[in-house]
Amino acid sequence: MSELLIELFSEEIPARMQQKAADDLRSMVTNALVDAGLTYEGAQAHGGPRRLVLSVEGLNAKAADVVEERKGPRVDAPQQAIDGFLKSTGLGLHELQVQDDKKGQFYVAVVKKAGREATEIIAEVVPDTIRKFPWPKSMRWGKGSLRWVRPLHSIVCTFDGEVVPFAVDGIRSGCVTRGHRFMGAQQIEVRRFEDYAAKLYKEFVLVDAHARVETIRTEARNLAFAQGLELIEDEGLLKEVAGLVEWPVVLMGSFDESFLQVPPEVIVTTIKNNQKCFCLRDTRTGRLANKYLLVSNMVARDGGQTIIAGNNKVIAARLSDAKFFWDQDRKVKLEEWAKKLDAITFHAKLGSQGERVTRIEALAGEIAKTIGADVGKAKLAARLAKADLVTGMVGEFPELQGLMGRYYALEEGIDAEVADAIRD
């Protein structure tokens, strides 16, 4: 049993596409190999910022021989029909078998096909997979016709340690890959997945996406703990960041404490969406800290101080924008914001958002009567529930809709029960 190693090396692959691309590569290649008569013991695929990797272990060196029975014409059929059947099978009349059927005796050809070599099959399967790869978005570059998510630079394809030769749009397969863009060697010869992963690790590339995730998680928690802080866990962000770096290095930055006057959800959303950074919580107070964690893609000579300083500046600017929205939005009452919903279409046949809110308000009042709730509070909450849709903050961060309405309601002195209903 031998191993097939494939690496498709390109410019940066969007993080959101990497896992599915790795899964697609595994399924497309292994399914095609099985269809061609090869069997294997296991397969593992990995996606990263610049490469898709597939290792197929225990792959047969040759496909199994195939025996095919083909039913031909009747024994008493015209000679022309019999000659045509012999020509299509490549057999002589003496090599055919005769079988009885309800309609008489028929000639049957037993055709034996020798299994193809694995290298021959691989040289067809991999180029076909590359050309048909189902990227959500793809591009062409240069003068070639190949479409890929980003320009494809090289293809590693080895079987049992030897290169399987083929070419795709002028890119020839080989056994040479590249390490980290800034810190690694740019010519690394590989043969099998074991030495491939080991050599890339020495050149500052963690091939396994799960390993990158766990490295970031562990370093982030440890760095936060050392400062008496707690990481605000975000699995989605963690996986996204792991798809942005090949050699994750976690660093801690900070921002001015004055920004903590802004609701914590706004700060977390701003830092997450704009800079892909993690926020921290003070373990003593349970409140948001004015520090955050960023994930760099390199080991900097100055310990990351320049990287931190650059991120601090950008985050300060982003938080200044958020604080501006917070301050400006509070200058207008929710009742006034709600009036602007009349200018927003909810549905072509159902009217504006304002008309929708009017209907919801009426329903809320009737429901409140039925269950014995406070009708006035129910109608007020319904009337203000969508008011924050037109605020600057929700315009910038739509995912905060409802939550910001609650904050603005509390700032106005509106009853806490009504404010909570607006959020919910």
Side-chain angles (χ1 to χ4, degrees):
M1 296 293 185
S2 303
E3 178 193 74
L4 168 64
L5 172 65
I6 300 171
E7 182 206 63
L8 306 176
F9 184 92
S10 68
E11 293 295 331
E12 273 68 12
I13 304 170
R16 68 183 184 279
M17 298 183 187
Q18 292 169 18
Q19 184 58 57
K20 185 179 185 303
D23 293 340
D24 286 341
L25 179 63
R26 180 178 60 244
S27 62
M28 291 177 72
V29 171
T30 54
N31 288 345
L33 293 175
V34 171
D35 290 344
L38 295 175
T39 60
Y40 65 98
E41 293 178 355
Q44 56 176 315
H46 304 281
R50 298 201 295 163
R51 63 196 87 214
L52 294 180
V53 183
L54 174 65
S55 171
V56 182
E57 300 88 16
L59 186 65
N60 287 336
K62 184 179 179 181
D65 294 342
V66 178
V67 177
E68 178 185 1
E69 285 192 3
R70 293 180 57 186
K71 187 176 181 181
R74 289 164 54 103
V75 173
D76 57 355
Q79 188 62 40
Q80 186 177 1
I82 296 174
D83 290 341
F85 180 64
L86 292 173
K87 184 177 181 181
S88 68
T89 60
L91 301 176
L93 185 63
H94 65 283
E95 295 177 286
L96 299 181
Q97 297 180 5
V98 178
Q99 291 184 0
D100 292 328
D101 198 315
K102 293 179 180 180
K103 297 181 179 180
Q105 292 185 317
F106 287 81
Y107 284 117
V108 175
V110 179
V111 181
K112 295 182 179 179
K113 294 183 179 179
R116 300 165 65 200
E117 296 293 327
T119 51
E120 181 184 347
I121 296 171
I122 293 167
E124 294 177 0
V125 166
V126 178
D128 187 58
T129 298
I130 293 172
R131 293 189 183 97
K132 296 179 179 178
F133 205 80
W135 290 109
K137 292 184 178 180
S138 59
M139 62 179 290
R140 289 185 298 176
W141 61 96
K143 297 180 180 180
S145 60
L146 177 67
R147 298 191 69 89
W148 201 246
V149 62
R150 297 289 186 272
L152 184 65
H153 288 305
S154 65
I155 301 170
V156 168
C157 187
T158 64
F159 178 69
D160 199 19
E162 299 298 323
V163 173
V164 178
F166 60 82
V168 180
D169 208 40
I171 305 171
R172 302 201 64 80
S173 59
C175 61
V176 176
T177 185
R178 312 179 193 184
H180 190 280
R181 185 186 292 274
F182 305 114
M183 302 184 293
Q186 300 305 297
Q187 293 287 320
I188 306 169
E189 186 173 315
V190 294
R191 295 292 175 179
R192 293 176 174 82
F193 182 77
E194 185 177 358
D195 80 288
Y196 169 84
K199 287 181 177 180
L200 280 178
Y201 185 85
K202 291 180 180 179
E203 300 302 331
F204 304 97
V205 175
L206 265 175
V207 175
D208 190 338
H210 179 70
R212 296 197 300 273
V213 167
E214 293 308 314
T215 297
I216 296 170
R217 191 197 310 275
T218 301
E219 289 190 11
R221 287 175 176 175
N222 291 343
L223 187 54
F225 179 78
Q227 297 292 323
L229 303 172
E230 178 186 15
L231 175 67
I232 297 178
E233 303 280 353
D234 189 322
E235 201 65 24
L237 178 61
L238 185 61
K239 291 179 180 179
E240 181 179 5
V241 171
L244 298 175
V245 297
E246 291 190 311
W247 191 258
V249 178
V250 181
L251 304 170
M252 182 177 288
S254 62
F255 53 87
D256 195 283
E257 287 189 17
S258 64
F259 289 122
L260 294 177
Q261 298 171 13
V262 177
E265 294 88 349
V266 173
I267 296 175
V268 172
T269 303
T270 300
I271 290 177
K272 170 186 173 180
N273 289 5
N274 293 315
Q275 289 301 104
K276 309 303 178 187
C277 294
F278 298 87
C279 287
L280 300 168
R281 187 184 294 114
D282 191 318
T283 54
R284 295 168 300 175
T285 64
R287 295 180 178 178
L288 194 67
N290 68 318
K291 295 182 183 296
Y292 66 92
L293 296 178
L294 64 98
V295 182
S296 170
N297 190 34
M298 63 183 298
V299 180
R301 295 178 181 177
D302 63 354
Q305 293 306 308
T306 301
I307 296 172
I308 293 171
N311 274 270
N312 284 349
K313 288 182 179 179
V314 176
I315 283 180
R318 295 293 189 180
L319 291 179
S320 293
D321 291 342
K323 188 174 184 303
F324 172 79
F325 291 133
W326 170 246
D327 292 337
Q328 293 299 114
D329 288 348
R330 288 182 298 158
K331 293 179 180 179
V332 180
K333 300 294 184 182
L334 280 177
E335 290 279 9
E336 293 300 314
W337 285 119
K339 293 177 182 178
K340 296 185 179 182
L341 294 174
D342 292 332
I344 300 176
T345 299
F346 168 59
H347 189 280
K349 296 182 179 180
L350 298 177
S352 67
Q353 282 283 7
E355 291 171 314
R356 177 195 181 199
V357 167
T358 299
R359 293 192 293 269
I360 294 173
E361 182 181 355
L363 287 171
E366 292 303 315
I367 293 172
K369 288 178 185 178
T370 303
I371 64 176
D374 188 308
V375 175
K377 289 183 178 180
K379 295 182 72 173
L380 178 60
R383 188 163 64 252
L384 301 181
K386 301 297 180 182
D388 63 349
L389 273 173
V390 290
T391 62
M393 187 72 79
V394 175
E396 183 72 13
F397 304 111
E399 61 269 41
L400 296 180
Q401 196 277 319
L403 179 67
M404 293 313 303
R406 175 182 180 275
Y407 276 114
Y408 294 142
L410 291 174
E411 286 286 317
E412 291 181 28
I414 293 175
D415 186 273
E417 287 187 354
V418 174
D420 289 341
I422 290 173
R423 176 193 58 194
D424 298 335

